[in-house]
Amino acid sequence: MANVKTERRTRIKRGIRKKVQGTSGRPRLSVFKSNKVIYAQLIDDEKAQTIAAASSLDLDKKGGVNVGISKNVGLKVAERAKASGVEAVVFDRGGYLYHGNIKALAEGAREGGLKF
């Protein structure tokens, strides 16, 4: 079962990557979540460079991820993006459904001032 879920997410992720490209003016906000941690990073695909990153590990939260922690990660990545001079991004949900933790992270990034 887990293998089927992983393959499905990989297939969806490839479809999203065909459409979503990050540039230096508008980088890609990429999201990855595991069972215990959620990660977000801003990627300039033209230079293959990470501009800013944040995760639930930065917040010193151990054990698991909930919607509140995800929102804080979104706020943190938005704060670091602003420090790097980034205002607008394209959102890459990484093959995950847009609800729960992924939605909370996106809303946190929007509250932090990122436009997408």
Side-chain angles (χ1 to χ4, degrees):
M1 179 73 181
N3 193 18
V4 173
K5 286 172 81 173
T6 306
E7 289 173 7
R8 178 182 178 276
R9 192 179 81 78
T10 304
R11 193 174 65 248
I12 293 169
K13 186 165 75 169
R14 273 186 276 152
I16 292 170
R17 289 288 157 78
K18 285 180 185 177
K19 299 172 188 139
V20 176
Q21 286 292 316
T23 62
S24 55
R26 195 172 164 106
R28 176 168 53 100
L29 175 58
S30 179
V31 177
F32 175 77
K33 66 176 186 168
S34 68
N35 290 334
K36 295 183 179 180
V37 183
I38 189 160
Y39 304 89
Q41 52 181 335
L42 292 174
I43 303 168
D44 178 0
D45 289 317
E46 293 173 344
K47 297 178 184 172
Q49 190 174 35
T50 300
I51 298 167
S55 73
S56 57
L57 295 173
D58 298 342
L59 304 174
D60 294 329
K61 303 290 183 184
K62 304 263 190 248
V65 177
N66 60 28
V67 173
I69 292 172
S70 297
K71 191 168 191 173
N72 288 336
V73 170
L75 287 166
K76 187 66 126 176
V77 77
E79 174 188 320
R80 291 179 179 172
K82 292 280 193 178
S84 299
V86 174
E87 296 286 326
V89 298
V90 290
F91 189 67
D92 176 9
R93 59 189 172 91
Y96 302 106
L97 295 176
Y98 186 80
H99 73 98
N101 289 323
I102 304 299
K103 184 177 179 181
L105 189 141
E107 288 172 352
R110 284 189 186 106
E111 282 180 24
L114 291 179
K115 292 180 177 54
F116 57 95

